[in-house]
Protein backbone atom coordinates (compact mmCIF):
# COMPACT_ATOMS: atom_id res chain seq x y z
CA UNK A 1 0.00 0.00 0.00
CA UNK A 2 1.42 3.44 -0.93
CA UNK A 3 1.63 6.17 1.66
CA UNK A 4 -1.40 8.01 0.27
CA UNK A 5 -3.38 4.78 0.01
CA UNK A 6 -2.43 4.03 3.54
CA UNK A 7 -3.51 7.53 4.57
CA UNK A 8 -6.89 7.10 2.80
CA UNK A 9 -7.31 3.71 4.37
CA UNK A 10 -6.63 5.20 7.77
CA UNK A 11 -9.03 8.09 7.13
CA UNK A 12 -11.84 5.78 6.02
CA UNK A 13 -11.36 3.72 9.15
CA UNK A 14 -11.27 6.81 11.28
CA UNK A 15 -14.51 7.95 9.68
CA UNK A 16 -16.07 4.56 10.29
CA UNK A 17 -14.86 4.63 13.86
CA UNK A 18 -16.44 8.02 14.36
CA UNK A 19 -19.72 6.80 12.89
CA UNK A 20 -19.72 3.83 15.25
CA UNK A 21 -18.87 6.14 18.12
CA UNK A 22 -21.68 8.50 17.29
CA UNK A 23 -24.34 5.80 17.20
CA UNK A 24 -23.07 4.05 20.31
CA UNK A 25 -22.81 7.30 22.20
CA UNK A 26 -26.39 8.04 21.30
CA UNK A 27 -27.31 4.67 22.78
CA UNK A 28 -25.14 4.89 25.85
CA UNK A 29 -25.44 8.53 26.86
CA UNK A 30 -22.36 9.68 28.65
CA UNK A 31 -21.01 6.27 29.58
CA UNK A 32 -18.45 6.01 26.85
CA UNK A 33 -17.31 9.59 26.93
CA UNK A 34 -16.66 9.17 30.64
CA UNK A 35 -14.59 6.07 30.14
CA UNK A 36 -11.13 5.93 28.77
CA UNK A 37 -11.34 2.60 27.12
CA UNK A 38 -8.71 0.43 25.51
CA UNK A 39 -6.10 1.22 22.92
CA UNK A 40 -6.65 1.35 19.17
CA UNK A 41 -6.64 -2.12 17.72
CA UNK A 42 -5.88 -1.26 14.13
CA UNK A 43 -2.25 -0.43 14.81
CA UNK A 44 0.39 -2.94 15.79
CA UNK A 45 2.55 -2.21 18.82
CA UNK A 46 5.99 -0.88 17.96
CA UNK A 47 8.79 -3.42 17.80
CA UNK A 48 10.05 -4.53 21.19
CA UNK A 49 7.15 -2.90 23.05
CA UNK A 50 6.40 -3.97 26.61
CA UNK A 51 2.65 -4.61 26.51
CA UNK A 52 1.09 -4.53 29.95
CA UNK A 53 -2.09 -2.65 29.11
CA UNK A 54 -4.86 -5.21 28.60
CA UNK A 55 -4.67 -7.79 31.40
CA UNK A 56 -3.45 -10.43 28.98
CA UNK A 57 -1.27 -13.36 29.92
CA UNK A 58 2.21 -13.07 28.44
CA UNK A 59 2.68 -16.85 28.73
CA UNK A 60 -0.08 -17.63 26.24
CA UNK A 61 -1.72 -21.06 26.12
CA UNK A 62 -0.17 -23.94 28.06
CA UNK A 63 1.85 -26.61 26.28
CA UNK A 64 -1.04 -29.06 26.72
CA UNK A 65 -3.39 -26.58 25.05
CA UNK A 66 -0.97 -26.01 22.16
CA UNK A 67 -0.60 -29.75 21.61
CA UNK A 68 -4.38 -30.20 21.61
CA UNK A 69 -4.77 -27.41 19.04
CA UNK A 70 -2.16 -28.94 16.75
CA UNK A 71 -3.80 -32.35 16.99
CA UNK A 72 -7.31 -31.08 16.17
CA UNK A 73 -6.40 -29.08 13.06
CA UNK A 74 -7.33 -31.87 10.60
CA UNK A 75 -10.86 -31.79 12.05
CA UNK A 76 -11.24 -28.12 11.20
CA UNK A 77 -13.84 -28.86 8.54
CA UNK A 78 -16.31 -30.08 11.18
CA UNK A 79 -18.41 -28.24 13.76
CA UNK A 80 -17.36 -28.50 17.37
CA UNK A 81 -20.45 -30.20 18.90
CA UNK A 82 -19.06 -33.29 20.59
CA UNK A 83 -15.83 -31.51 21.51
CA UNK A 84 -17.93 -28.88 23.29
CA UNK A 85 -19.78 -31.67 25.11
CA UNK A 86 -16.46 -33.01 26.39
CA UNK A 87 -15.46 -29.53 27.58
CA UNK A 88 -18.72 -29.15 29.49
CA UNK A 89 -18.38 -32.63 30.99
CA UNK A 90 -14.85 -31.89 32.11
CA UNK A 91 -15.80 -28.62 33.81
CA UNK A 92 -18.99 -30.12 35.31
CA UNK A 93 -16.95 -32.95 36.87
CA UNK A 94 -14.36 -30.55 38.32
CA UNK A 95 -16.99 -28.22 39.81
CA UNK A 96 -19.65 -30.78 40.71
CA UNK A 97 -22.17 -28.96 38.53
CA UNK A 98 -25.00 -30.38 36.43
CA UNK A 99 -24.06 -30.15 32.75
CA UNK A 100 -27.14 -28.10 31.92
CA UNK A 101 -25.85 -25.34 34.21
CA UNK A 102 -22.89 -24.62 31.89
CA UNK A 103 -22.87 -22.87 28.50
CA UNK A 104 -19.74 -22.39 26.42
CA UNK A 105 -19.09 -19.16 24.54
CA UNK A 106 -16.17 -17.66 22.64
CA UNK A 107 -14.95 -15.76 25.73
CA UNK A 108 -16.97 -14.33 28.59
CA UNK A 109 -17.77 -11.02 26.87
CA UNK A 110 -20.61 -12.58 24.90
CA UNK A 111 -22.59 -13.99 27.84
CA UNK A 112 -21.86 -10.79 29.77
CA UNK A 113 -23.47 -8.72 27.03
CA UNK A 114 -26.36 -11.13 26.48
CA UNK A 115 -27.16 -11.28 30.19
CA UNK A 116 -27.29 -7.50 30.44
CA UNK A 117 -29.55 -7.37 27.36
CA UNK A 118 -31.75 -10.10 28.85
CA UNK A 119 -32.19 -8.67 32.34
CA UNK A 120 -32.03 -4.88 31.97
CA UNK A 121 -34.38 -2.50 30.14
CA UNK A 122 -35.57 1.11 30.39
CA UNK A 123 -37.47 -0.03 33.52
CA UNK A 124 -34.71 -2.24 35.00
CA UNK A 125 -31.37 -0.68 35.87
CA UNK A 126 -27.89 -2.04 35.47
CA UNK A 127 -25.97 -1.71 38.73
CA UNK A 128 -22.20 -1.83 38.83
CA UNK A 129 -19.17 -0.72 40.82
CA UNK A 130 -16.99 2.32 40.21
CA UNK A 131 -14.23 1.84 39.28
CA UNK A 132 -15.35 -1.34 37.58
CA UNK A 133 -15.20 -3.25 34.34
CA UNK A 134 -17.23 -1.25 31.83
CA UNK A 135 -18.41 -3.74 29.22
CA UNK A 136 -21.79 -4.23 30.84
CA UNK A 137 -22.43 -0.49 30.82
CA UNK A 138 -22.15 -0.53 27.06
CA UNK A 139 -24.67 -3.38 26.82
CA UNK A 140 -26.98 -1.56 29.26
CA UNK A 141 -26.82 1.48 26.98
CA UNK A 142 -27.95 -0.70 24.09
CA UNK A 143 -30.83 -2.02 26.24
CA UNK A 144 -31.81 1.55 27.12
CA UNK A 145 -31.26 0.79 30.81
CA UNK A 146 -30.20 3.27 33.44
CA UNK A 147 -26.64 2.63 34.64
CA UNK A 148 -26.17 2.96 38.39
CA UNK A 149 -22.51 3.24 39.32
CA UNK A 150 -21.71 2.75 42.98
CA UNK A 151 -18.26 3.61 44.38
CA UNK A 152 -16.28 0.76 45.92
CA UNK A 153 -15.90 0.69 49.71
CA UNK A 154 -12.76 1.98 51.44
CA UNK A 155 -11.29 -1.52 51.15
CA UNK A 156 -12.13 -1.61 47.43
CA UNK A 157 -14.85 -4.25 47.63
CA UNK A 158 -18.29 -3.83 46.08
CA UNK A 159 -20.53 -1.81 48.36
CA UNK A 160 -23.45 -4.21 48.07
CA UNK A 161 -25.60 -2.35 50.59
CA UNK A 162 -25.26 0.89 48.63
CA UNK A 163 -25.87 -1.00 45.37
CA UNK A 164 -29.16 -2.28 46.79
CA UNK A 165 -30.14 1.09 48.23
CA UNK A 166 -29.43 3.02 45.03
CA UNK A 167 -31.32 0.75 42.66
CA UNK A 168 -34.68 -0.52 43.86
CA UNK A 169 -35.51 -0.99 40.15
CA UNK A 170 -32.43 -3.11 39.44
CA UNK A 171 -32.54 -5.73 36.69
CA UNK A 172 -28.95 -6.91 37.01
CA UNK A 173 -26.22 -6.38 39.61
CA UNK A 174 -22.73 -6.87 38.21
CA UNK A 175 -20.06 -7.93 40.69
CA UNK A 176 -16.53 -8.47 39.42
CA UNK A 177 -14.31 -10.28 41.91
CA UNK A 178 -11.37 -9.83 41.84
CA UNK A 179 -12.42 -6.50 40.45
CA UNK A 180 -11.04 -5.06 37.24
CA UNK A 181 -9.21 -2.64 37.64
CA UNK A 182 -8.46 -2.83 41.39
CA UNK A 183 -7.73 -6.57 41.69
CA UNK A 184 -9.59 -6.59 45.00
CA UNK A 185 -12.10 -9.14 46.28
CA UNK A 186 -15.70 -8.80 47.38
CA UNK A 187 -16.41 -11.24 50.22
CA UNK A 188 -18.70 -14.15 49.44
CA UNK A 189 -20.85 -13.13 52.41
CA UNK A 190 -21.51 -9.76 50.72
CA UNK A 191 -22.51 -11.47 47.49
CA UNK A 192 -24.88 -13.70 49.48
CA UNK A 193 -26.35 -10.60 51.13
CA UNK A 194 -26.90 -9.04 47.72
CA UNK A 195 -28.54 -12.19 46.38
CA UNK A 196 -30.87 -12.48 49.37
CA UNK A 197 -31.91 -8.80 49.40
CA UNK A 198 -32.11 -7.98 45.70
CA UNK A 199 -35.42 -6.94 44.14
CA UNK A 200 -37.58 -9.79 42.88
CA UNK A 201 -36.90 -10.74 39.28
CA UNK A 202 -33.39 -9.26 39.25
CA UNK A 203 -30.21 -11.31 38.88
CA UNK A 204 -26.68 -11.06 40.25
CA UNK A 205 -23.91 -11.65 37.72
CA UNK A 206 -20.57 -12.50 39.30
CA UNK A 207 -17.65 -12.08 36.92
CA UNK A 208 -14.84 -14.39 38.03
CA UNK A 209 -12.47 -13.68 35.11
CA UNK A 210 -9.54 -13.25 37.52
CA UNK A 211 -10.54 -15.57 40.35
CA UNK A 212 -7.76 -18.09 39.71
CA UNK A 213 -5.16 -15.49 40.64
CA UNK A 214 -6.60 -14.68 44.06
CA UNK A 215 -5.83 -16.12 47.46
CA UNK A 216 -8.81 -16.84 49.66
CA UNK A 217 -11.48 -16.14 47.06
CA UNK A 218 -14.66 -18.18 47.42
CA UNK A 219 -16.29 -18.69 44.02
CA UNK A 220 -20.01 -18.00 43.71
CA UNK A 221 -20.70 -21.31 41.96
CA UNK A 222 -22.23 -22.65 45.20
CA UNK A 223 -24.99 -20.05 44.81
CA UNK A 224 -25.76 -21.34 41.33
CA UNK A 225 -25.87 -24.90 42.71
CA UNK A 226 -28.29 -23.66 45.38
CA UNK A 227 -30.70 -22.52 42.65
CA UNK A 228 -30.23 -18.78 43.23
CA UNK A 229 -30.68 -16.10 40.57
CA UNK A 230 -26.96 -15.93 39.99
CA UNK A 231 -24.91 -16.06 36.80
CA UNK A 232 -21.19 -16.76 37.16
CA UNK A 233 -18.87 -15.86 34.30
CA UNK A 234 -15.54 -17.59 33.76
CA UNK A 235 -13.01 -17.06 30.99
CA UNK A 236 -9.97 -18.80 29.55
CA UNK A 237 -8.54 -15.41 28.54
CA UNK A 238 -6.67 -14.71 31.74
CA UNK A 239 -4.79 -17.36 33.72
CA UNK A 240 -5.18 -19.89 30.88
CA UNK A 241 -3.59 -17.43 28.39
CA UNK A 242 -6.22 -17.89 25.69
CA UNK A 243 -7.51 -14.34 25.07
CA UNK A 244 -6.94 -14.69 21.33
CA UNK A 245 -8.35 -18.22 21.18
CA UNK A 246 -11.68 -17.26 22.84
CA UNK A 247 -13.43 -19.50 25.32
CA UNK A 248 -15.57 -18.79 28.37
CA UNK A 249 -18.49 -20.11 30.40
CA UNK A 250 -21.80 -18.81 31.68
CA UNK A 251 -22.71 -20.85 34.76
CA UNK A 252 -26.34 -20.58 35.85
CA UNK A 253 -29.51 -22.60 36.28
CA UNK A 254 -31.24 -23.59 33.03
CA UNK A 255 -33.99 -20.92 33.16
CA UNK A 256 -31.37 -18.17 33.25
CA UNK A 257 -29.20 -19.93 30.64
CA UNK A 258 -32.14 -19.94 28.26
CA UNK A 259 -32.66 -16.19 28.62
CA UNK A 260 -29.00 -15.54 27.90
CA UNK A 261 -28.86 -17.92 24.95
CA UNK A 262 -31.96 -16.38 23.35
CA UNK A 263 -29.60 -13.68 22.09
CA UNK A 264 -27.22 -16.14 20.49
CA UNK A 265 -27.70 -17.36 16.96
CA UNK A 266 -26.09 -20.44 15.49
CA UNK A 267 -22.55 -19.73 16.50
CA UNK A 268 -20.55 -22.89 17.11
CA UNK A 269 -17.30 -22.60 19.03
CA UNK A 270 -13.97 -22.72 17.21
CA UNK A 271 -12.68 -26.25 17.71
CA UNK A 272 -9.21 -24.93 18.54
CA UNK A 273 -10.55 -22.99 21.53
CA UNK A 274 -12.63 -25.92 22.73
CA UNK A 275 -9.81 -28.48 22.74
CA UNK A 276 -7.36 -25.98 24.21
CA UNK A 277 -9.80 -25.21 27.04
CA UNK A 278 -10.45 -28.90 27.72
CA UNK A 279 -6.72 -29.68 27.80
CA UNK A 280 -6.12 -26.70 30.10
CA UNK A 281 -8.76 -27.87 32.57
CA UNK A 282 -7.25 -31.37 32.61
CA UNK A 283 -3.78 -29.94 33.25
CA UNK A 284 -4.02 -29.80 37.03
CA UNK A 285 -0.63 -28.10 37.52
CA UNK A 286 -1.46 -25.17 35.25
CA UNK A 287 -3.49 -22.90 37.53
CA UNK A 288 -1.38 -23.31 40.69
CA UNK A 289 1.88 -22.77 38.78
CA UNK A 290 0.67 -19.68 36.97
CA UNK A 291 -0.95 -18.29 40.07
CA UNK A 292 2.34 -18.67 41.97
CA UNK A 293 4.37 -17.08 39.17
CA UNK A 294 1.98 -14.12 38.82
CA UNK A 295 1.89 -13.53 42.58
CA UNK A 296 5.69 -13.71 42.87
CA UNK A 297 6.21 -11.14 40.11
CA UNK A 298 3.41 -8.92 41.42
CA UNK A 299 4.82 -8.96 44.96
CA UNK A 300 8.32 -8.10 43.68
CA UNK A 301 6.85 -5.09 41.83
CA UNK A 302 4.95 -4.10 44.98
CA UNK A 303 8.17 -4.33 47.04
CA UNK A 304 9.95 -2.15 44.51
CA UNK A 305 7.12 0.40 44.42
CA UNK A 306 6.93 0.46 48.18
CA UNK A 307 10.66 0.92 48.67
CA UNK A 308 10.64 3.74 46.12
CA UNK A 309 7.79 5.56 47.81
CA UNK A 310 5.04 4.89 45.27
CA UNK A 311 1.58 3.84 46.35
CA UNK A 312 -0.84 1.40 44.75
CA UNK A 313 -4.02 -0.51 45.47
CA UNK A 314 -3.01 -3.93 46.88
CA UNK A 315 -4.24 -6.45 44.34
CA UNK A 316 -4.91 -10.19 44.30
CA UNK A 317 -4.96 -10.32 40.53
CA UNK A 318 -2.86 -9.89 37.40
CA UNK A 319 -3.38 -6.12 37.42
CA UNK A 320 -3.23 -3.28 39.91
CA UNK A 321 -3.91 0.45 40.12
CA UNK A 322 -0.83 2.59 40.56
CA UNK A 323 -1.01 6.09 42.05
CA UNK A 324 0.87 8.61 39.92
CA UNK A 325 -0.25 11.76 41.76
CA UNK A 326 -0.77 13.48 38.42
CA UNK A 327 -3.04 13.15 35.42
CA UNK A 328 -2.69 9.43 34.69
CA UNK A 329 -3.04 10.04 30.95
CA UNK A 330 0.22 11.97 30.92
CA UNK A 331 1.98 9.07 32.57
CA UNK A 332 0.52 6.64 30.04
CA UNK A 333 1.78 8.82 27.20
CA UNK A 334 5.20 9.29 28.74
CA UNK A 335 5.52 5.54 29.30
CA UNK A 336 4.67 4.98 25.64
CA UNK A 337 7.62 7.16 24.68
CA UNK A 338 9.72 4.49 26.27
CA UNK A 339 7.86 1.74 24.45
CA UNK A 340 6.09 0.59 27.59
CA UNK A 341 2.32 0.33 27.10
CA UNK A 342 0.44 0.49 30.38
CA UNK A 343 -3.30 0.34 30.84
CA UNK A 344 -5.85 2.92 31.25
CA UNK A 345 -7.43 5.20 33.84
CA UNK A 346 -10.90 5.31 35.36
CA UNK A 347 -12.44 8.79 35.67
CA UNK A 348 -13.27 8.26 39.34
CA UNK A 349 -9.54 7.72 40.09
CA UNK A 350 -7.89 9.88 37.42
CA UNK A 351 -4.41 9.87 38.94
CA UNK A 352 -4.19 6.07 38.98
CA UNK A 353 -3.16 3.97 35.99
CA UNK A 354 -3.84 0.27 35.62
CA UNK A 355 -0.80 -1.92 35.20
CA UNK A 356 -1.01 -5.55 34.06
CA UNK A 357 1.47 -7.94 35.66
CA UNK A 358 3.70 -9.22 32.86
CA UNK A 359 6.78 -11.39 33.07
CA UNK A 360 9.53 -10.59 35.54
CA UNK A 361 11.69 -9.11 32.76
CA UNK A 362 8.82 -6.98 31.47
CA UNK A 363 8.11 -5.68 34.95
CA UNK A 364 11.76 -4.72 35.44
CA UNK A 365 11.56 -2.69 32.23
CA UNK A 366 8.33 -1.18 33.45
CA UNK A 367 10.02 -0.16 36.72
CA UNK A 368 12.93 1.50 34.91
CA UNK A 369 10.56 3.42 32.64
CA UNK A 370 8.20 4.39 35.47
CA UNK A 371 11.03 5.72 37.63
CA UNK A 372 12.24 7.87 34.72
CA UNK A 373 8.75 9.22 34.07
CA UNK A 374 8.13 10.03 37.72
CA UNK A 375 11.49 11.77 38.01
CA UNK A 376 10.45 13.96 35.10
CA UNK A 377 12.96 12.57 32.61
CA UNK A 378 10.10 11.92 30.19
CA UNK A 379 7.01 14.11 30.14
CA UNK A 380 3.87 14.80 28.17
CA UNK A 381 2.93 13.58 24.78
CA UNK A 382 5.07 12.37 21.96
CA UNK A 383 5.76 15.10 19.41
CA UNK A 384 6.36 14.52 15.74
CA UNK A 385 4.91 12.04 13.30
CA UNK A 386 3.45 9.55 15.76
CA UNK A 387 -0.33 9.16 15.62
CA UNK A 388 -2.65 9.98 18.48
CA UNK A 389 -1.94 8.03 21.62
CA UNK A 390 -3.81 4.74 21.83
CA UNK A 391 -5.25 5.83 25.12
CA UNK A 392 -6.80 8.99 23.70
CA UNK A 393 -9.09 6.97 21.49
CA UNK A 394 -12.15 5.68 23.30
CA UNK A 395 -11.76 2.01 22.54
CA UNK A 396 -12.94 2.23 19.00
CA UNK A 397 -12.53 -0.55 16.54
CA UNK A 398 -14.22 -1.05 13.19
CA UNK A 399 -16.13 -3.97 14.69
CA UNK A 400 -17.36 -2.07 17.74
CA UNK A 401 -16.02 -1.57 21.24
CA UNK A 402 -13.29 -3.30 23.09
CA UNK A 403 -12.62 -3.44 26.78
CA UNK A 404 -10.02 -5.45 28.71
N1 LIG B 1 -14.63 -9.68 32.43
C1 LIG B 1 -13.60 -8.97 32.87
C2 LIG B 1 -13.61 -8.50 34.27
C3 LIG B 1 -12.54 -8.65 32.03
O1 LIG B 1 -11.54 -7.91 32.49
C4 LIG B 1 -12.58 -9.09 30.70
C5 LIG B 1 -11.49 -8.76 29.77
O2 LIG B 1 -10.53 -8.14 30.08
C6 LIG B 1 -13.69 -9.84 30.29
C7 LIG B 1 -14.69 -10.12 31.17
C8 LIG B 1 -13.85 -10.31 28.89
O3 LIG B 1 -12.91 -11.21 28.56
P1 LIG B 1 -13.12 -12.35 27.48
O4 LIG B 1 -14.25 -11.99 26.58
O5 LIG B 1 -11.82 -12.40 26.78
O6 LIG B 1 -13.45 -13.59 28.25
Amino acid sequence: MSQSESHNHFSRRSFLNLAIAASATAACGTILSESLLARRLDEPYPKGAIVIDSNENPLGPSQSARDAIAAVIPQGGRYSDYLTTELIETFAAIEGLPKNHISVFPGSSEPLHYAVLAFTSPAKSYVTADPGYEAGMHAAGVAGAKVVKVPLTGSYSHDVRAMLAKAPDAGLFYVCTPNNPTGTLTPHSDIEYLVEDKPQGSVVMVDEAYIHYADGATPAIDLVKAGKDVIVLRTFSKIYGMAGLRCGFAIAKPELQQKIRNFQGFNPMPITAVVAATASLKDSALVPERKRANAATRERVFDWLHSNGYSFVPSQSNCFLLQTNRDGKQVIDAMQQQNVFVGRIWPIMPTYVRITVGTQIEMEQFQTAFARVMKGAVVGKVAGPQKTSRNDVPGLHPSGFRFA
Side-chain angles (χ1 to χ4, degrees):
M1 205 186 274
S2 73
Q3 213 177 355
S4 76
E5 276 170 334
S6 143
H7 175 76
N8 287 340
H9 173 74
F10 181 75
S11 303
R12 275 199 302 275
R13 273 216 173 158
S14 303
F15 179 77
L16 181 59
N17 286 345
L18 286 173
I20 293 166
S23 56
T25 305
C28 306
T30 57
I31 296 164
L32 294 169
S33 58
E34 280 178 28
S35 303
L36 276 170
L37 307 180
R39 64 181 195 263
R40 292 191 63 114
L41 297 182
D42 53 358
E43 296 173 31
Y45 289 99
K47 203 159 178 275
I50 303 297
V51 179
I52 48 173
D53 64 0
S54 293
N55 291 357
E56 295 156 335
N57 190 332
L59 303 177
S62 66
Q63 192 54 51
S64 49
R66 292 169 197 224
D67 293 344
I69 290 169
V72 86
I73 287 172
Q75 275 174 250
R78 305 280 174 199
Y79 291 117
S80 58
D81 301 350
Y82 82 91
L83 295 167
T84 306
T85 305
E86 189 192 350
L87 172 59
I88 290 173
E89 282 170 356
T90 306
F91 188 67
I94 292 170
E95 296 293 342
L97 273 164
K99 286 184 283 182
N100 65 358
H101 284 47
I102 304 162
S103 294
V104 183
F105 293 89
S108 59
S109 296
E110 250 190 54
L112 193 163
H113 281 242
Y114 296 158
V116 175
L117 295 177
F119 296 103
T120 72
S121 69
K124 289 179 178 247
S125 300
Y126 174 75
V127 191
T128 186
D130 197 13
Y133 184 58
E134 308 96 324
M137 295 199 288
H138 172 59
V142 173
K146 189 169 89 185
V147 173
V148 180
K149 293 205 265 179
V150 180
L152 296 172
T153 67
S155 57
Y156 300 99
S157 69
H158 286 57
D159 191 340
V160 295
R161 285 156 189 84
M163 289 170 92
L164 285 166
K166 285 199 180 167
D169 63 344
L172 187 145
F173 294 91
Y174 174 72
V175 176
C176 184
T177 180
N179 188 39
N180 180 3
T182 53
T184 46
L185 293 171
T186 294
H188 189 275
S189 53
D190 282 353
I191 296 173
E192 277 178 74
Y193 183 92
L194 182 59
V195 171
E196 291 312 318
D197 287 68
K198 67 182 179 50
Q200 227 188 347
S202 64
V203 297
V204 175
M205 183 155 69
V206 186
D207 187 338
E208 298 184 343
Y210 300 94
I211 199 150
H212 307 95
Y213 289 110
D215 274 332
T218 308
I221 286 180
D222 64 319
L223 300 174
V224 173
K225 288 183 196 166
K228 305 290 182 188
D229 293 324
V230 172
I231 301 159
V232 174
L233 299 177
R234 289 281 179 92
T235 182
F236 287 84
S237 296
K238 305 302 174 183
I239 208 158
Y240 294 105
M242 288 176 40
L245 287 164
R246 313 301 300 139
C247 190
F249 293 134
I251 302 149
K253 60 187 172 187
E255 305 95 274
L256 301 185
Q257 294 281 0
Q258 192 51 53
K259 290 189 173 151
I260 297 170
R261 285 212 302 255
N262 281 342
F263 287 88
Q264 193 185 28
F266 176 66
N267 186 17
M269 287 289 296
I271 61 168
T272 42
V274 175
V275 297
T278 309
S280 299
L281 288 178
K282 289 181 176 171
D283 185 347
S284 57
L286 175 60
V287 168
E289 268 169 21
R290 289 184 168 199
K291 179 184 174 193
R292 226 179 357 257
N294 175 74
T297 303
R298 186 185 65 217
E299 294 310 313
R300 274 195 286 267
V301 176
F302 285 177
D303 287 348
W304 180 86
L305 290 169
H306 187 68
S307 56
N308 285 278
Y310 302 120
S311 61
F312 50 89
V313 177
S315 158
Q316 286 275 338
S317 188
N318 72 339
C319 66
F320 61 93
L321 282 181
L322 175 57
Q323 171 65 289
T324 67
N325 288 312
R326 61 194 74 176
D327 178 359
K329 277 193 286 176
Q330 281 178 9
V331 174
I332 291 168
D333 287 335
M335 294 292 282
Q336 284 187 19
Q337 284 192 58
Q338 299 181 77
N339 220 8
V340 178
F341 288 77
V342 297
R344 45 209 184 85
I345 63 161
W346 271 253
I348 194 172
M349 295 173 80
T351 60
Y352 286 77
V353 296
R354 191 194 64 191
I355 312 293
T356 300
V357 178
T359 63
Q360 183 59 32
I361 290 169
E362 288 171 333
M363 297 320 280
E364 282 161 17
Q365 287 179 260
F366 153 75
Q367 287 168 197
T368 306
F370 185 65
R372 288 191 68 209
V373 168
M374 295 305 280
K375 285 179 188 136
V378 190
V379 284
K381 284 197 176 158
V382 184
Q386 186 157 338
K387 286 183 199 138
T388 319
S389 152
R390 292 165 193 267
N391 285 283
D392 283 345
V393 180
L396 297 179
H397 184 254
S399 63
F401 293 92
R402 188 225 198 234
F403 308 80

